[in-house]
Amino acid sequence: MGGWPWLAAAVASGGMAALVLLMIGLTRMPASSAALLLNAEGVFMALLAWFVFRENVDRRIAIGMAAIVAGGTNPCTVIALGATWLTLRGLAGALLIGWVAYGVSLALFVVARATSAWRERARTFGRADLRCRTGDSAAR
């Protein structure tokens, strides 16, 4: 029997019940609060893994958690200080920063992944072609 009951419990609780409860909770709260909670979900999961399951947390993970918390704290601070709506110029600047920070970096990431994937395919097919031509099964 082994770990099957534990696996079934994990799937039932984390894969089904948690998602249903998440959807119910999201429909009953304002979008701004839901967005902040969803951003903090990664931090909560990392802390849970660290304290409950004794997972290793190195400097990279700690910096990532701190960045997530800082990103969620910034909008809360601005709202608490009585933020006003952006002007058209401020909105254009924010959209430009978002386009550069997210859009361009995502496009470059996709191009880099595609390039490395094509190189790997070429190496793999090149090896297969070499094996077929030489009859050498050890060609790598």
Side-chain angles (χ1 to χ4, degrees), residues 14 16 22 29 39 59 70-71 73 83 85 87 89 104 111 117 129 134:
M16 294 186 303
L22 174 67
M29 67 186 320
N39 281 336
R59 184 178 352 163
T73 304
W85 288 100
T87 62
R89 184 176 178 188
V104 174
V111 168
D129 182 48
T134 62

Side-chain angles (χ1 to χ4, degrees), residues 29-101:
M29 67 186 320
S32 57
S33 299
L36 290 173
L37 284 175
L38 288 173
N39 281 336
E41 180 186 8
V43 174
F44 293 142
M45 288 296 118
L47 290 173
L48 180 73
W50 184 17
F51 290 118
V52 175
F53 300 110
R54 306 282 188 236
E55 288 287 328
N56 181 34
V57 174
D58 59 4
R59 184 178 352 163
R60 182 178 51 97
I61 294 172
I63 291 171
M65 287 192 298
I68 291 171
V69 170
T73 304
N74 188 24
C76 293
T77 305
V78 169
I79 292 168
L81 293 175
T84 59
W85 288 100
L86 287 174
T87 62
L88 186 57
R89 184 176 178 188
L91 179 63
L95 289 172
L96 179 66
I97 290 171
W99 177 73
V100 170

